[in-house]
Every structure is written in structure tokens, then in C-alpha cells.
Amino acid sequence: NAGVTQTPKFRVLKTGQSMTLLCAQDMNHEYMYWYRQDPGMGLRLIHYSVGEGTTAKGEVPDGYNVSRLKKQNFLLGLESAAPSQTSVYFCASSSSFRPNTGELFFGEGSRLTVL
Amino acid sequence: QKEVEQDPGPLSVPEGAIVSLNCTYSNSAFQYFMWYRQYSRKGPELLMYTYSSGNKEDGRFTAQVDKSSKYISLFIRDSQPSDSATYLCAMSGGLNAGGTSYGKLTFGQGTILTVHP
């Protein structure tokens, strides 16, 4: 019972490098999200998707791009990494039947350090 | 000013104590209120949710919402060392005049709780 799986779990980048974080869910959820978690800031929404082929901006979208080519996958890309993007990134998914009850299912996080 | 404010703690209590965790918020459109628990180096897990004002109890946990004061609380009775974690409050506007919030949540900063034996 995998739930939400994030890869990679750890990554170190140099400023200016690019990378992609992959999120996969096996619960057939319509909605998927990318959050970042920083000390003292809580979780902040980067981008989200309400279905295959759709994406939308969240609270802190600058410097990130996303794609949802398949329902089960949600990719987060950093085109030119900056030290300010050092963070723990969480992917989450939720059912379209109860999107507003707060039942998000989170992955275990991807720790990114940008030097 | 953040939409949701939560005292980050850290909070340290002895086993068996009653723990009170709180959040305040400024957006009156919030209707759904959640508490998530996050163990170290893990993703958050939903602990409880309530809709609008009122209380909800689940075992040793009680969630309270006071919309008139824009204040929510989580009480943990007979706290255990296994309760040691970061507790995050979260809120959602739910269905509103602007459309569905699609489950988008606004989180507090999280309170780090340690329950020592």
C-alpha cells in the first residue's frame, strides 16, 4: 500500500542547475499538490492540479514549473535552482469527492539543498 | 500578517499532561479546520477535521473551533511519548462564491511537541 511516493528523497544542487521531483500516487485521486516546508513558515502551496493535463499556481509558484501528463503523476521542476529553494518539498493528493475536508495524503518529502 | 498564526513552541510536557495547541486566523471564509500530525522526517497525517464551529472528540483528542473569535484548539488528554511530533493546524475555505478551493489548505507554522516519560 504505497500511497504517495516521492523521488528522490534527497538531492544537493548547485545554483543554476535544474532538476525534477517526481510524485506518484496509487489512490486514483484527482487532485495533487506540491508544498514546500521551511522552518517557521509552515507548509506553503507551490502548484496544484485538479486533474490530468491541468495545473494551477499556488501561493509561492515563482521559480517552479509543474506537469500532470498522467493522472497518477505530478512533476515539480526547478529550471535554475537558487539557494532560496533549499527546502523540504511535499507532494500530496486528495479525492475529488471530498476535497474540502482536509483529507490530503502526503508523501514523505524530498529534501533539497541548493549550494 | 499571515492568514494563520500558530505558536511554534517548542512545547515540552510530562507524560500524562493535558496539552493545548492553538491557532488563530484572519480569513473569515475558512470553514473547514484540520489538525495534522507530523513525525520527524515524515509527511503530515490528518489527525482531525471539523466543519464550522463546535467541538469534535476522537479518543484522547478534542478539536474546538470558535469562528466568532477566529480561534481553533486541539487538546490532547493523557499525553504519551508517542504523541511527540509537530502539530500543524490547517484551514480551507471550502465551497464558496468564488468556486471550490479544490482542497487547498492554508497551514499554520506548526507546534513542536515533546512528551517526556
Side-chain angles (χ1 to χ4, degrees):
Chain A
N1 189 8
V4 178
T5 303
Q6 294 182 227
T7 53
K9 289 185 168 44
F10 303 93
R11 185 74 186 269
V12 178
L13 289 178
K14 294 181 180 178
T15 297
Q17 288 185 320
S18 63
M19 75 158 296
T20 300
L21 298 176
L22 171 63
C23 177
Q25 53 98 0
D26 62 2
M27 295 172 283
N28 201 34
H29 284 166
E30 288 290 333
Y31 302 155
M32 296 187 74
Y33 318 82
W34 276 106
Y35 285 88
R36 60 177 290 175
Q37 186 173 37
D38 303 291
M41 300 295 290
L43 285 155
R44 292 181 292 168
L45 183 63
I46 305 171
H47 286 281
Y48 65 100
S49 168
V50 300
E52 183 178 314
T54 74
T55 63
K57 294 180 180 179
E59 181 186 354
V60 289
D62 294 341
Y64 304 96
N65 56 75
V66 288
S67 63
R68 182 107 181 260
L69 298 180
K70 293 183 179 180
K71 184 178 181 179
Q72 63 268 33
N73 295 337
F74 195 28
L75 278 62
L76 178 71
L78 285 72
E79 291 186 345
S80 180
S84 61
Q85 294 178 304
T86 293
S87 187
V88 182
Y89 292 85
F90 286 98
C91 177
S93 69
S94 68
S95 167
S96 58
F97 292 104
R98 302 181 72 185
N100 296 312
T101 59
E103 290 188 278
L104 300 190
F105 296 84
F106 284 85
E108 294 202 339
S110 297
R111 295 179 177 274
L112 175 65
T113 301
V114 183
L115 301 175
Chain B
Q1 182 187 2
K2 295 180 180 177
E3 278 191 297
V4 180
E5 295 280 358
Q6 183 177 5
D7 186 344
L11 187 61
S12 181
V13 301
E15 183 175 354
I18 296 174
V19 176
S20 173
L21 305 169
N22 312 293
C23 289
T24 59
Y25 64 96
S26 58
N27 188 343
S28 57
F30 289 143
Q31 295 185 65
Y32 292 85
F33 304 90
M34 285 70 72
W35 287 95
Y36 277 79
R37 180 173 60 195
Q38 184 178 21
Y39 290 115
S40 181
R41 297 191 173 264
K42 297 291 186 182
E45 299 173 293
L46 180 66
L47 189 60
M48 296 185 71
Y49 88 91
T50 55
Y51 171 69
S52 194
S53 287
N55 294 357
K56 187 173 184 178
E57 187 173 321
D58 184 2
R60 296 184 294 110
F61 299 89
T62 299
Q64 289 185 350
V65 175
D66 182 350
K67 290 189 70 178
S68 63
S69 301
K70 296 189 175 67
Y71 189 87
I72 71 171
S73 301
L74 177 71
F75 298 95
I76 307 174
R77 293 185 301 278
D78 187 25
S79 56
Q80 303 295 310
S82 59
D83 295 329
S84 298
T86 297
Y87 290 81
L88 299 138
C89 64
M91 306 177 190
S92 171
L95 294 171
N96 54 39
T100 178
S101 69
Y102 292 117
K104 293 184 293 178
L105 304 183
T106 301
F107 285 86
Q109 297 93 317
T111 299
I112 301 170
L113 171 67
T114 301
V115 181
H116 51 87

